[in-house]
Amino acid sequence: MNSHSHSRNLFPSRTMSIAIPSIRGANSIPALHPVKQHKDLTLPDVYTSSSGTKYSLEKVIEVDGRQGIATNGTHYFVSSSTALFTYDLLGNLLHKNEDPFTGLPLAGNHFGDIGYYDGKLYTGVEWFDSGQGQDIQIVLYDAETLDYSTSVPWNVDSGQVECSAITIDVDNELVWMSDWVNSNYVYKYDLNGGEYLGKLHLRATPTWTQGIAFYKGDLYITADDGDADRNESDNLWKVSKETLLNNATFISHEFIFDVPPFLDHGEIEGIDFNTDTNQMIVLANRGMRIVLGMPTNYYSGYTREIHELYVFNILEENDSNGFQSEE
């Protein structure tokens, strides 16, 4: 820890289970805008991943943020580059914080993918410009109010130069961060004290990592590794829990974000898993050409960039349609 630290125990202590907060007034707050779902979308068939896991698209919800997604099981938390949003599971916007960087120890202008744990939103805040991040800090926000809680600066000597995503590894009591600029590594910090504990070398290296999240102990990584100009699809990669604490590991391909089930080629972003409903939630953007991580101009046929949550059911054999939700 350096002089920007306020105390040793900046992160909340680990509990045996993840607390699910009641969003204050959620049942009485009218939606800030109507739900935007693709009701005319014909939901695709079941898709089989490289590992054999079955995914079926449940719904697509348009949201305001273009960066990250987290869930506590009852709500979706979404980040844009400069704001935080709370939605119910139907996609109704309940709350937002459009001034989240005020009061931080270091100046910031960019969120990446976010995570949820024990009543807090975990975010990686940085000053991002032309494909480079500076002054990275792990910043926690209260999940009910979206107000700033506390922060920890990143370890400059770790080699990390950008923070595209952050997630919580409850099993190992760790916080992990990814680097969009140099995706060779993911970086780990102690969940309870905030100390930097090392990094994991990813082989083969994913390109332009955007989101990270844990499901059943395995680490999932979204990569913006397809060229939308060439109608190439982005991909989902996986690190097995058995090799997670090694110095290096081989990653495996899990799923291709193809069209369909996605509505168009674009930029994949954050990811999280709702273990209460056995669902994978992926945030994707379409309509805007991205150069060095910065939006530039619209693709033909678009007048705005569209941000959507793709909610997939995770299936296994023997349900009424040939598969059942994992338990």
Side-chain angles (χ1 to χ4, degrees):
M1 298 288 179
N2 64 28
S3 59
H4 293 300
S5 301
H6 303 298
S7 65
R8 178 175 176 79
N9 295 316
L10 293 178
F11 292 163
S13 298
R14 181 181 184 269
T15 59
M16 293 304 294
S17 61
I18 296 178
I20 299 178
S22 58
I23 302 302
R24 188 173 297 126
N27 293 329
S28 60
I29 298 175
L32 299 185
H33 65 54
V35 178
K36 298 177 182 178
Q37 294 195 17
H38 293 270
K39 299 183 182 301
D40 297 328
L41 177 67
T42 300
L43 298 185
D45 296 330
V46 172
Y47 291 85
T48 303
S49 73
S50 300
S51 68
T53 301
K54 312 290 183 179
Y55 296 95
S56 177
L57 183 65
E58 171 71 20
K59 57 187 174 183
V60 182
I61 302 173
E62 185 174 349
V63 293
D64 288 330
R66 71 177 317 276
Q67 292 290 347
I69 169 67
T71 183
N72 63 356
T74 61
H75 296 81
Y76 296 137
F77 304 100
V78 175
S79 60
S80 70
S81 297
T82 59
L84 296 170
F85 307 89
T86 304
Y87 293 84
D88 64 22
L89 297 188
L90 296 176
N92 293 300
L93 177 60
L94 302 176
H95 190 43
K96 58 183 176 180
N97 179 355
E98 296 182 299
D99 187 28
F101 302 137
T102 297
L104 299 189
L106 300 172
N109 69 351
H110 184 268
F111 288 122
D113 191 19
I114 60 179
Y116 171 88
Y117 175 72
D118 199 21
K120 302 292 184 183
L121 294 183
Y122 283 67
T123 72
V125 175
E126 63 192 349
W127 190 269
F128 185 84
D129 184 44
S130 299
Q132 185 74 31
Q134 297 179 7
D135 293 335
I136 301 169
Q137 49 192 320
I138 301 172
V139 181
L140 277 61
Y141 294 85
D142 186 276
E144 291 192 13
T145 64
L146 303 184
D147 291 338
Y148 167 64
S149 176
T150 191
S151 65
V152 175
W154 100 116
N155 186 300
V156 180
D157 297 328
S158 67
Q160 183 180 6
V161 296
E162 198 274 338
C163 182
S164 59
I166 189 168
T167 193
I168 296 80
D169 179 359
V170 178
D171 293 341
N172 295 303
E173 301 184 46
L174 297 171
V175 176
W176 292 87
M177 292 197 292
S178 62
D179 185 336
W180 178 83
V181 175
N182 180 359
S183 299
N184 287 15
Y185 298 92
V186 285
Y187 302 82
K188 57 185 176 182
Y189 289 75
D190 180 71
L191 175 61
N192 300 308
E195 295 88 355
Y196 173 68
L197 298 178
K199 56 189 176 182
L200 174 64
H201 184 191
L202 303 178
R203 302 180 299 191
T205 303
T207 306
W208 311 122
T209 56
Q210 293 279 44
I212 52 177
F214 280 90
Y215 182 66
K216 294 188 174 181
D218 298 322
L219 177 62
Y220 291 79
I221 303 171
T222 61
D224 183 29
D225 49 8
D227 187 344
D229 288 348
R230 293 163 46 87
N231 290 328
E232 295 176 1
S233 299
D234 297 329
N235 291 274
L236 179 64
W237 302 87
K238 180 179 176 181
V239 176
S240 171
K241 56 179 172 287
E242 283 77 18
T243 64
L244 190 65
L245 300 183
N246 294 353
N247 287 331
T249 184
F250 289 97
I251 65 172
S252 59
H253 183 263
E254 172 63 14
F255 190 67
I256 183 169
F257 297 125
D258 213 347
V259 179
F262 286 79
L263 295 173
D264 201 356
H265 297 282
E267 184 187 30
I268 211 70
E269 290 283 354
I271 184 174
D272 203 4
F273 293 88
N274 187 337
T275 56
D276 292 339
T277 59
N278 297 309
Q279 292 176 322
M280 177 179 72
I281 308 103
V282 179
L283 177 59
N285 302 316
R286 58 188 175 96
M288 179 73 76
R289 179 175 283 105
I290 309 298
V291 178
L292 291 178
M294 308 291 286
T296 56
N297 58 289
Y298 298 118
Y299 284 109
S300 176
Y302 287 90
T303 58
R304 65 186 180 95
E305 187 180 43
I306 300 172
H307 324 298
E308 292 158 323
L309 298 181
Y310 288 77
V311 182
F312 290 88
N313 295 318
I314 304 172
L315 309 174
E316 62 180 17
E317 296 181 359
N318 299 324
D319 75 351
S320 58
N321 296 316
F323 300 93
Q324 66 181 9
S325 296
E326 292 192 353
E327 297 179 350

